[in-house]
Each structure stands twice: as C-alpha cells, then as structure tokens.
Amino acid sequence: MSTAALDAPPVTSTLEPAARSREARRVPEWGRVLGACLLLLLVYGCLASLNDPRGALGSDTGGKLATLRVMGDHGGLDVDVGYWAERWDPTGEFHPLYYTSRLDGQWVQVTTLPQLLLAYPLYRLGGFEAVLLLPMAGAVLTALAARALARRMDRGRGWMAFWAVALATPVAIYALDFWEHSLGLGLMAWGAVLLLDVARGTGGWKAAGAGGLLFGLAATMRTEALVPLAVAAAIACIAVLARDRRLAGAVACGGAIAVGAGAALVAEHVLERAVLGVDLRAARATHTAAAAAGGVGERAKEALTTTIGLNGFAPSTSWLIGGLAVVLVGAGAFVLARRPTRATLGVALLVFAAAIYAARLSGGLGFVPGVFTACPLAAAGLFLAWSLPQGRLAALLACLTLPIVWVAQYSGNASPQWGGRYVLLSGVLLAVVAVVALRPAPAALVAVMALSLAVTACGVAWLSERSHTVADGMEALVARHDQAVVSLEGHVLREGGAFYSPARHWLTVTDLAKLPRAVRIVETAGDTEMALLAPAGQRVPARLGPYTAGGRRPLEIRPGERLQVVTYRAPGHDSGSP
C-alpha cells in the first residue's frame, strides 16, 4: 500500500458530520413521550372547556363536588358535609345528599378518599376547573399503559394504541369528569402490563410486586380492581408454574403480588382511620360482596346492560340491537383482517353496524352503557384476539374478568352510565388488541376507529349538554331563595352537589310515605314556605301539614327529565311567588 493511500482520510469521514447532525436533531424517546402527554392534556383541556364544571356525568361526582366545596369552606381536610336537620333527623334519613353516611360523628359523602385528598390543593388553587387535572392525568396514564402493552405485541403499534385508547374509548369521557374511574383505570392498566410481563416470562418478582401494588392502589379508588387483580395474578402464577415446573416459583410470584396489593390496601386503611375514624372502603366492599348472591334476574339484566347495552331503543329490544351491533363490528373487522378475499362481506357488515349506531344517535344524545357498544374497537378486539398469539393473554385477562364483575358489581342504575364503568379495563385491553390485530387491514382499522371516535364524540357532547343542564337547573333553583326545598327525586340535590351548603334547608325524601315526617322537620325549623321538587306530572297533595300548595314552575336539572317545583306556604305567609 502506498504512502498516499495511508495518508488519505477515511472515506466515511465526509458522512460523519451529517450523521451527527441527524442524531442531534432526533428527539429522544422521553421527549416524544412527554410531548405526546402534554398534547393529550391540551386536547382534554379543550374538550373540558365545553363543559360546565359544576355539572357532571352522574350524582356520584356531584357528591364529590359537594365535599370539596365544604372542605374549601372548612379550610382543611375535613370531609364532614354537615346536616342542618341533624337534631331532628339524627340518622340522616332525609339528608339532602343521597347516600350520605353517619361515620364517627361525621356526615360523610366520600366514596374515594385518596382522590379527594389529591384534589383539595387543586381546588384551593383553581376551583372545580382545576380538579379536572386529576382525571385527565389518569386518562394519560391509561393511554401510556396502552402504548406499552401494544409495543409488547408489535413495536410499531405503540403510538396508534396511545391515541386510540385516549380519544376513541370511554377513557375520553372519564377524563373530563371528576370521578375516580380514569385514575383507577390507569393504575389497573399498568398493573396489567406488569403482570402480563410476568406471565410471558419477561418480568420477575419485582414486576409481580409492582403489579400487585398498582392494582392495590387502584382498589383504593375502584373496588372492582380486586377482580382483575385476582385474574391477572392467577394467569401469572399458572404461567410461571407451567414454564418453570416448580411450585416454589409460582408461590413466590403470588406472594409478591399479594404483598404489593396488601401494602396499598393497608396504607388506605391507615389513611381512612386517620381522616375518617373508620375504614370506609372495606365497609363498602363488604356490603357489595354480601349483596352479590341476591337478585339473579336483576344482575343478569345489568350484566347485559354493561356489556352490550345501547340506550335509545325500546327496553325489550335494546340488548338485542346492541348485541347485533357488536357482532357486526367484530365479524366485519375479522373478515377484513383475516379473510381479505371476502372484503365485500366485511365492508357490508361494518356498514350495517354503522347504520345501527346512526339510528341510535339520530334519536338524540344519551348514555351508551355497554362496554362493547360504547367502544367498537373493543368489540373488534374480542373477535380478533384469538387469532393473534401475542394478544391472547391480554384478551384472556379481559374476558375472564367480565363474568366475575357481573356477579359482584354494585347493583342499581346500570343504564345511566357510560361504557360499563366497572369493566373499563376489559374494554381498554381489547381495544389495544384490535389496534395490533388490524395492522394487516388498515382500511378496517380506519373504519372501526372512525366508528369508535363517533360514539366517543357523542359521549363528549352528551357530557357537555348534561353538565350545562345540571348547572343551569341548580342555579335556577338556588336563585328562587326558597326557605326550604324538599326533593322527591333521590339524586337531584346530590347531582347539584357543587351548589350544596350545609346551611341550606334542603331535604331528600325517597319514600313518598315519609314525606309528612320531612314536612314536620321543615315546620319545626320555623320555615313558613317550602318548595317541593317532584317529577313532572306527578300528583302532589294540596296540603302538607300546615302548608298549602300555591304556584308551580317547571324545572329541568337533567336533560330531558323535567321536574315541577310546587311552592307551599303556611297560613298568613306572603303570597308572592319566588
């Protein structure tokens, strides 16, 4: 070799600056993740601006808003919502906020203590608008878990799963409401990711313990998290036993999961004892479990509602129509993804499914209570999972969870809920499976995604309409300045919890036969006039104790549900109507 050749620069040297420049411009992985999370929060913030923060998706949220308002008045972590008529009604039978409990000398409306304690500083900083950062954060956490799960099945599907779960599933609805569902779901989703890693052999005892801890933390907010925890733990332990053929390994795995979950539940117990003086969450779980064996017929109906319910049709046919829509979506996606030679059939099935949704939505906004009807992506995942080897464990966890939740879920009012709120994790897992399984058929993915986006968009619009109706109706009620208000509809005053004050003479009567007793409380308190809230069209007495019925006005506090406000006055009271 010549000296000139030795002295010549390497041929690659002219390319190195360009390569280094490209490397310098490349955004690191953590930067892309952070940017996506901030963008998603911005999207949620824009959607939340369409709502009135004083109205919500249901009366459970209203109870939380009432508690936050009273905590703000107290200036500390005191969750006692008080009761103006306590001396005449010591058991709280007529407490205005339905489902308020008397615990250790306090009137407690709390269903989830950790969320309220996290929300209180936000409320002090920015009111009801600021506390929505918590459910939004839970939704972002869920989307990140969906991305992580999808990358374990197919590295190229991570971001698609992130955005699909964030914007085209019920997660988007619960991100905009001060309920604990999105926070609990985010913790459950990450717990599922870790325990499925253990089942696949890519995670050890640390992953098992962390997965148990996350599920345990979720259970402090959503008691139903104990169901997928048990199912995921069983899957992980059985997989370890089958792989290692040693009982000790499976026992160690189960022990790590139990320790992690137990640590979270014990911490919750200590927190509740310190703040409330009682173990609230355990009492609620025990009550639900005790009622699980009763009302088989009612539970079967609610299982259908939370799975394939599609409100808007006649009750006798709604489940059949919802089930048909789910089958059409799932079968259409399966045909397009696995039988490309029969694409015409697949397209026809999806078109028929879209027609059912169009017929439903043409009748107006409202709840879509089924997990598969509210999330067509999950319906597609249910049909496609078994032909996708890397998605079968996630689908198994999703499907085995369902029947247990059907048996154990709180019974009552399944229809006015969105997307089967007790089985949200199953929907998310199957939606991720669908995103991965539909990769060979991008047109099918676009079609199913569009359908899911349309349903979710209607849910966002429904929440906006509902929140404004609740807030406007309660504002009108408060502006009447009635001395006392007695509601014959159990959840109305709790629905408007953002307007609650312990000083307002409000009562809720859920049994018409007990109305005279409530009226006696109003009389004893010295009120000379009161307003009676009753369903529109319901006949009300001309006289209640010393009070005589006067004028009546219509009032709408929930969309499409009109009430009548009947004014009653004692003899000699000024007749001017409020």
Side-chain angles (χ1 to χ4, degrees):
M1 183 180 295
S2 67
T3 304
L6 290 173
D7 293 337
V11 293
T12 59
S13 64
T14 57
L15 301 177
E16 286 177 356
R20 285 197 296 269
S21 177
R22 286 195 300 272
E23 186 67 28
R25 290 197 301 269
R26 185 177 300 165
V27 179
E29 181 71 9
W30 66 266
R32 290 196 295 274
V33 171
L34 179 60
C37 292
L38 292 176
L39 178 58
L40 181 55
L41 279 175
L42 178 62
V43 172
Y44 285 151
C46 292
L47 294 176
S49 68
L50 303 175
N51 304 337
D52 191 314
R54 301 170 301 171
L57 196 61
S59 68
D60 278 3
T61 305
K64 293 172 177 56
L65 297 180
T67 303
L68 274 179
R69 176 170 179 164
V70 174
M71 289 171 70
D73 293 340
H74 292 162
L77 302 181
D78 182 357
V79 299
D80 186 352
V81 296
Y83 183 26
W84 70 273
E86 177 181 352
R87 54 181 161 167
W88 304 296
D89 180 24
T91 63
E93 185 177 18
F94 304 121
H95 197 287
L97 301 177
Y98 186 65
Y99 205 54
T100 297
S101 303
R102 179 73 161 164
L103 299 174
D104 196 32
Q106 304 175 80
W107 297 101
V108 178
Q109 179 64 206
V110 174
T111 55
T112 300
L113 185 59
Q115 185 198 32
L116 277 173
L117 298 185
L118 290 172
Y120 177 67
L122 294 173
Y123 176 74
R124 297 287 290 182
L125 286 172
F128 293 129
E129 291 90 344
V131 301
L132 290 175
L133 284 173
L134 276 180
M136 290 179 192
V140 172
L141 192 65
T142 305
L144 288 172
R147 174 179 179 269
L149 183 61
R151 282 166 59 87
R152 283 156 169 78
M153 301 178 194
D154 181 339
R155 289 189 65 83
R157 296 275 91 179
W159 286 118
M160 178 64 74
F162 176 91
W163 291 108
V165 166
L167 299 176
T169 73
V171 172
I173 311 299
Y174 290 102
L176 309 178
D177 188 71
F178 184 59
W179 220 342
E180 65 274 4
H181 289 290
S182 67
L183 275 175
L185 179 59
L187 294 169
M188 283 190 281
W190 273 108
V193 169
L194 294 177
L195 293 187
L196 290 176
D197 281 350
V198 175
R200 295 189 196 95
T202 58
W205 67 268
K206 291 182 180 179
L213 177 65
L214 288 169
F215 270 112
L217 289 172
T220 67
M221 303 184 195
R222 300 303 318 159
T223 307
E224 66 269 13
L226 296 174
V227 175
L229 167 62
V231 174
I235 291 173
C237 292
I238 291 171
V240 169
L241 180 62
R243 185 172 57 247
D244 298 345
R245 300 187 182 281
R246 290 192 309 113
L247 183 60
V251 171
C253 172
I257 295 171
V259 169
L265 295 174
V266 168
E268 163 73 358
H269 171 82
V270 172
L271 181 65
E272 288 185 345
R273 284 285 179 181
V275 176
L276 301 178
V278 295
D279 194 343
L280 174 68
R281 204 72 191 161
R284 285 171 57 84
T286 301
H287 177 271
T288 301
V296 175
E298 183 63 26
R299 287 195 172 277
K301 288 188 348 185
E302 295 204 340
L304 288 170
T305 300
T306 57
T307 307
I308 55 175
L310 191 61
N311 291 352
F313 298 99
S316 59
T317 61
S318 61
W319 299 320
L320 291 174
I321 295 174
L324 177 60
V326 169
V327 170
L328 289 172
V329 170
F334 180 86
V335 169
L336 289 173
R338 301 300 174 188
R339 303 289 187 270
T341 57
R342 307 186 67 183
T344 303
L345 173 61
V347 170
L349 292 171
L350 290 179
V351 168
F352 279 124
I356 291 176
Y357 280 103
R360 159 63 186 87
L361 298 174
S362 65
L365 299 173
F367 287 100
V368 179
V371 61
F372 294 119
T373 43
C375 184
L377 268 174
L382 180 66
F383 278 69
L384 289 164
W386 317 109
S387 58
L388 182 72
Q390 60 269 43
R392 288 174 187 164
L393 280 178
L396 186 65
L397 171 57
C399 292
L400 290 180
T401 297
L402 291 174
I404 305 174
V405 173
W406 294 338
V407 171
Q409 69 184 351
Y410 179 81
S411 182
N413 294 320
S415 293
Q417 298 172 7
W418 189 273
R421 66 189 181 99
Y422 295 114
V423 289
L424 289 173
L425 178 62
S426 294
V428 166
L429 294 175
L430 290 170
V432 172
V433 169
V435 169
V436 176
L438 285 171
R439 183 167 192 171
L445 177 59
V446 169
V448 177
M449 183 86 76
L451 200 53
S452 277
L453 276 169
V455 177
T456 303
C458 289
V460 171
W462 169 240
L463 177 55
S464 177
E465 178 181 328
R466 198 178 195 282
S467 66
H468 283 287
T469 303
V470 170
D472 292 346
M474 289 301 300
E475 203 167 54
L477 178 65
V478 171
R480 287 171 49 92
H481 300 293
D482 297 294
Q483 289 183 3
V485 175
V486 179
S487 174
L488 297 181
E489 209 287 339
H491 289 276
V492 164
L493 298 180
R494 187 176 187 239
E495 191 94 58
F499 296 83
Y500 172 77
S501 168
R504 289 200 172 105
H505 287 196
W506 289 356
L507 296 174
T508 291
V509 180
T510 56
D511 183 350
L512 192 59
K514 298 178 180 179
L515 179 58
R517 289 173 51 198
V519 171
R520 282 197 295 273
I521 292 175
V522 173
E523 180 186 4
T524 305
D527 295 326
T528 55
E529 62 89 21
M530 70 176 185
L532 183 69
L533 295 181
Q538 178 175 330
R539 296 187 63 179
V540 297
R543 290 185 61 87
L544 284 173
Y547 304 98
T548 303
R552 64 186 65 202
R553 300 277 183 87
L555 181 69
E556 185 180 24
I557 290 186
R558 288 188 291 238
E561 299 179 35
R562 299 189 69 81
L563 300 173
Q564 56 178 325
V565 187
V566 184
T567 303
Y568 285 81
R569 292 187 174 86
H573 182 64
D574 178 64
S575 60
S577 61

